[in-house]
Amino acid sequence: MTTKTALAYGNYSKQVLDVFKQNKIKIGDYLVIEAKDAKIEGNLLPQTEMGDPDVIILKQKNGYNVGVRYSPKLKIIDTGKSFKLEQFPKAKLSQKENLPQISLLATGGTIASRIDYLTGGVFMASRPEEVFASLPELLDEVVFKTINPLFQMASEDIAYKQWQIIAKEIYQEFENGSEGIVIMHGTDMMGYTSAALSFMVQNLPAPVAMTGGQRSSDRGSFDGALNLISAARVAAKADFAKVSVVMHESTEDNACLASPGTRVRKMHTSRRDAFKTIGDIPYARISEKGEITILRNDLPKREKREIDLNTNYDPKVALIKIYPGISPEILDWHIDKGTKGFIIEGTGLGHTPTFPPKEEKERSWTEPMKRAIEEGAFIGMTSQCIYGRTHPFVYRALRTNYLAGVTYLSDMLSETALVKLGWVLGNTENSEEVKQMMTTNIAGEITQRSNFGGYM
Amino acid sequence: MNIKVPETIDFEKEGLKVGLEFHQQLYAPYVDSDPMQQKHGSKLFCTCPAVIRDDEPNFVVERELRAVSGETGKVDIAATFEKTKKQKLFYQGYYDTTCLVELDEEPIFPINPNALFRSIAIAKKLFNLHIFDEILVCRKTIIDGSNTSGFQRTAQIAYGGENSFIDVNGKKIYIYQVNVEEDSAKNVGKSEKGRSFRLDRLGIPLIEIATGPNMHTPEEVLQTALRIGTLLRTTGYVKRGLGTIRQDINVSVKKGTRIEIKGVQNLELLPLYVKNEAIRQLRMLEFLSYLKERNFNKRNINMIKPNDVTSVFQNCQAKFIQKALKQKKKVIGARLPKFDGLLAFELQENYRVGTELSEIAKVTANAGGILHSDELPKFGITQKEKDNVAKSLKLKDGDAFLLVVGSEAIGYQAIENIKQIMRVWLDSNPLPPEVRAPRPDGTTGFLRPLPGKARMYPETDSPPIRITDEYLEKINNLTFEMPEERLQRYINVLKLPKDIAKQLYNHHDNILFEKIVEETGVKPTLVATTLLQDIVDLRRKGFDVEKITEEHLLEIFKQIAAEKITKASILPVLQGIAESKTQISPKQAIKKFSIKPIDTSEIEKVVDEIIHQNLETVKAKGMGAMGLVIGKTMAKFQGKADGKVVSSIVKQKLASI
């Protein structure tokens, strides 16, 4: 933003806008409003969509924003003075030499956002290095050979086409000699993207560390600072070549964990430590001082490797959560729309309504699932318990689903299963192959044994 | 040069100007049906009860705050000092009275509707301010650690006009602004590791009332503060007790500058702070003129360099030096060119230039303080050691030195920060604007340079709050009884004796008093004396009167009204409650500790006995002996018998003789 660009008025009503236009009042102008026995002064701000369109919003000299309802009785004087809109400081990247050369891919999200102090709106930073302004120490440890703002998207808007672009970028960066990659991403859907990248880019030569922020960067308490520096440390120094999500370990600002890309889940709407490794052990712990402790011994080390890039994806997949009384007609609707694969998030060990009372037998999922599978759809079963494995045999109802052709996906997370199914269907339409691939561990999505320490 | 400060100055001649920012915690339950919130009120942006705790916290969370990205390029000197203090922050919390909102782990709830209503009512009804049509919650950047988020949430709700003033002893004191905001977390200590804050206070609603700078004497400031406090209490909307009020005072003299004294809790000390600050500004000007006379300049400041002089003190007899050396600490010294004699120059009473440097070292570098050449030899440090320091620092005639005992890093930082402030002294005209801390002795200590305008920007988690005409109508319909009106009502309607009425009308227990009188119908004087005298007596005797709750008092007076117990039971029951090991219910307490009414037949027996013993007198005086018999009977029952009953029995018996 510069002083030359007039800001939009926002949500002001027609009568207020008419007054502004008649008097050539623009956003930012210093107004004096005389009312009753007092006057109010300040720079005119845009009205927000949440505010009353007839209320004029001013930023006073004392810094407070306040609203005064317009009335023809008010005397509004435009002093002709206008404030200078804020210039965001351009962080100068003075990079040192002889440090690990890593790449930064930015996709948007809270971590890559900055506040507009004037309006309070949160915008995606146009240049990802703006985030560095609050952590100059980062540049003492790494060199960013590439900084690539791929998109400026909130994570809920990111889907498979973006995954494909990110995957290809990862491949390209490593081909160009990057020693590790950091991806800044919105937190809501970061687990989906980390799973997708785990399948699309395999046999990595070095770490891909995704990270984000749960607090916005305008705060002194911005958690993304520690997350970003920890992710950069993983990318630059950690000796494991995997896709991970690097976020706060606890509510404290003293360590981050690198969680496996296919086994990580956002478990809290707002806490710093929302990201948890589910039913598995995180890859590594990164202390605030930068010590990286690897927590597992089954990880591939950094090594020059031929990357397997495979970005094929078929988006005709659906994730359905079972709830009491859910009608199986939803399957028919999906099949009519061309859906080829389903992940059913069943109850407990992997149930759907199976044996309802006779007079309600249309609620049973057995026949509709059987029909869907016979028509060529894939149906995979995960559990809404989140933790633990599904099992096809323990109860009669489970066996019924199994015999209907439902594939039990062990302890794969529902979200990971959905992403994997799209990727598998993008690569084969042969139902036997789909079933085979879905039940085979490819990128850590199915654990071989349930580790006692892997719960909560 | 007179190193002692004058005792007082002519405030009018020096053009003293003072403005107050009065901060008072609001009592405002968020959810009325919750007993804890009902009792203590709630926080401003969550439903946690506003309880101040002194028990062990349930958990401690370690955090860090960073200078915010996107701060404007200019380096704010106040921010620089915060950065040099960059340390770990430890937040202490409680499972039952603090939540994720205080921990900065959850977006805020909508603003506490009662807190908003009450602050608007205060602004409009007490101070006659105009209420904004739309109120916008803002974030004010604060990175000293007292807010977990790195900012304080605050909203200006009202602005003053020509008729927004209060009358203080016949003078108009203008009120120009009222805000509602969150209280900060309380600093509960610092260590090498970092600073600790407690989350109990964070988020308690505060109303901030800003006066115009139109007070001109220290006494006027006190009178204004007392008047505002009285007016606020009269609403019943504010919390009471120690720590619920904090004042910021802005003080200037004509030749000086605006200085903010932050967080005065003890109102009685207000005049002293104002006086000392006015004197300090004049003395500081005088001190700076001496520096000028001596041609002290920036080159001299650059000559101030930290030097390790620990070796001088190897055999020092001073205990604090020995202890420090044992802990591998150092003595870092620095030569202060041209400062000889100036360090002892008093800026306030018993507060010298040396004290000021010491305060700078303490608050900006976490040092224990400084020692300086104008006060040595002292504290067990000898003349010889002083001479050796002078030699080692290559002092010239007219120079002074200072010493910092502590780690090398702290010593260097302290000296660096002192140099920074000295540069500010030389640069400012006439005086550097500062925020100063109130000290218990009525002087003010260095706290930090006055920060540039704090960054304020909208709190995105709170929608704009539209204040409608209907809302204001509700407030217009409220009536607050002004303190003077209450005094008259106490005397004329409740028939309290004047002295008791004067004690009570402005007393923090007057709401309870009125509640009891209204709900029980007991004679007001009895309730007033119980609250003002009996409970106070018990406290003075060392009883834990905190155990006596509103419920206890209400039940006692209800039973008195129902004539189930007599007033003779009040004191024993109260004492019993205070002495109980565990909290005892009102009914139980009364059952256990009240004095059983004495059976009429027993009274009759005693009256008969007394008449018999004094038969001659009784016969001689007839009904005239009533007083005597009643007196002796009451004495026999040690005051525990109901006087009315005794009197009627005596009357009956005497009549029948």
Side-chain angles (χ1 to χ4, degrees), chain A residues 64 89 138 180 186 212 215 235 276 279 320 327 359 385 396 433 455:
Chain A
Y64 283 94
L138 189 57
R215 297 283 91 73
K276 300 289 182 196
I320 297 171
S327 164
E359 61 277 17
C385 291
R396 185 170 149 234
E433 269 179 33
Y455 176 53

Side-chain angles (χ1 to χ4, degrees), chain A residues 176-426:
Chain A
N176 294 344
S178 182
E179 293 176 60
I181 294 171
V182 173
I183 302 173
M184 297 201 288
H185 197 286
T187 56
D188 280 3
M189 309 290 253
M190 186 149 62
Y192 290 87
T193 302
S194 69
L197 297 177
S198 301
F199 295 114
M200 289 179 171
V201 208
Q202 293 176 41
N203 212 27
L204 293 168
V208 172
M210 300 189 69
T211 193
Q214 289 278 82
R215 297 283 91 73
S216 54
S217 64
D218 60 289
R219 304 180 182 225
S221 61
F222 176 47
D223 63 322
L226 181 66
N227 295 340
L228 179 56
I229 196 163
S230 300
R233 284 162 168 166
V234 167
K237 297 168 192 168
D239 196 7
F240 61 87
K242 293 292 256 180
V243 175
S244 64
V245 168
V246 179
M247 294 288 284
H248 268 58
E249 178 181 30
S250 73
T251 188
E252 305 197 299
D253 292 321
N254 52 19
C256 283
L257 289 176
S259 297
T262 53
R263 296 218 58 92
V264 65
R265 197 169 189 281
K266 185 174 184 179
M267 297 296 282
H268 198 279
T269 56
S270 59
R271 281 178 63 135
R272 289 162 171 73
D273 54 351
F275 282 82
K276 300 289 182 196
T277 299
I278 307 295
D280 205 355
I281 306 297
Y283 290 153
R285 182 174 190 274
I286 306 94
S287 77
E288 57 174 335
K289 294 203 177 84
E291 300 135 347
I292 299 175
T293 313
I294 304 229
L295 304 172
R296 295 165 54 145
N297 53 20
D298 61 343
L299 303 178
K301 294 194 181 307
R302 273 174 194 272
E303 202 182 327
K304 192 146 180 62
R305 290 192 182 89
E306 192 77 14
I307 298 171
D308 292 337
L309 176 71
N310 177 348
T311 62
N312 295 332
Y313 195 87
D314 188 334
K316 293 201 177 324
V317 289
L319 171 57
I320 297 171
K321 183 173 186 135
I322 295 300
Y323 56 84
I326 181 173
S327 164
E329 285 176 356
I330 191 165
L331 279 179
D332 301 331
W333 183 89
H334 269 292
I335 286 175
D336 287 348
K337 295 280 175 194
T339 303
K340 293 185 204 158
F342 295 89
I343 301 299
I344 310 266
E345 192 173 79
T347 66
L349 289 163
H351 289 280
T352 56
T354 308
F355 303 120
K358 264 187 202 138
E359 61 277 17
E360 297 178 49
K361 67 176 193 296
E362 71 284 356
R363 288 210 281 108
S364 170
W365 278 58
T366 313
E367 282 309 310
M369 287 202 293
K370 204 165 169 182
R371 230 171 26 238
I373 294 165
E374 281 165 5
E375 283 171 28
F378 172 86
I379 298 185
M381 183 67 70
T382 60
S383 175
Q384 52 190 258
C385 291
I386 300 176
Y387 282 91
R389 280 176 211 276
T390 55
H391 199 291
F393 305 129
V394 177
Y395 296 105
R396 185 170 149 234
L398 297 168
R399 294 193 287 269
T400 305
N401 281 347
Y402 176 77
L403 290 172
V406 173
T407 305
Y408 279 71
L409 297 175
S410 191
D411 66 344
M412 210 187 303
L413 297 178
S414 306
E415 298 82 1
T416 298
L418 178 79
V419 171
K420 182 178 180 184
L421 184 55
W423 179 75
V424 167
L425 289 173

Side-chain angles (χ1 to χ4, degrees), chain B residues 172-190:
Chain B
K172 285 179 184 175
I173 302 290
Y174 282 88
I175 309 288
Y176 72 89
Q177 185 174 342
V178 171
N179 305 332
V180 61
E181 58 192 31
E182 312 176 286
D183 207 340
S184 57
K186 189 168 53 197
N187 191 339
V188 290
K190 58 181 178 181

Side-chain angles (χ1 to χ4, degrees), chain B residues 455-507:
Chain B
R455 183 189 285 282
M456 296 256 264
Y457 60 100
E459 165 56 87
T460 45
D461 303 342
S462 164
I465 304 156
R466 182 76 170 85
I467 303 301
T468 60
D469 291 343
E470 296 80 62
Y471 191 97
L472 291 179
E473 195 52 38
K474 250 196 272 175
I475 283 168
N476 273 333
N477 292 336
L478 294 171
T479 46
F480 294 125
E481 183 180 45
M482 289 298 114
E484 296 70 22
E485 295 164 358
R486 184 176 317 116
L487 177 62
Q488 287 314 312
R489 180 167 58 87
Y490 282 4
I491 295 171
N492 299 329
V493 181
L494 298 184
K495 308 283 181 208
L496 288 183
K498 264 192 190 154
D499 57 328
I500 292 181
K502 275 186 184 161
Q503 266 188 69
L504 193 61
Y505 86 103
N506 203 13
H507 191 274

Side-chain angles (χ1 to χ4, degrees), chain B residues 33 58 93 145 147 176 204 245 280 295-296 344 374 381 386 427 444 448-449 465 473 516 556 606 621 642:
Chain B
S33 58
N58 298 129
N147 291 72
Y176 72 89
I204 293 182
I245 300 180
R280 192 195 67 85
N295 202 14
F296 179 82
D374 283 357
I381 293 171
K386 181 183 171 184
D427 280 344
T444 63
R448 56 175 177 264
I465 304 156
E473 195 52 38
I516 293 172
I556 291 172
V606 173
K621 289 198 180 172
D642 189 337

Side-chain angles (χ1 to χ4, degrees), chain A residues 57-69:
Chain A
I57 305 293
L58 297 180
K59 184 171 205 72
Q60 301 176 110
K61 268 191 185 152
N62 63 14
Y64 283 94
N65 294 3
V66 294
V68 183
R69 184 176 44 174

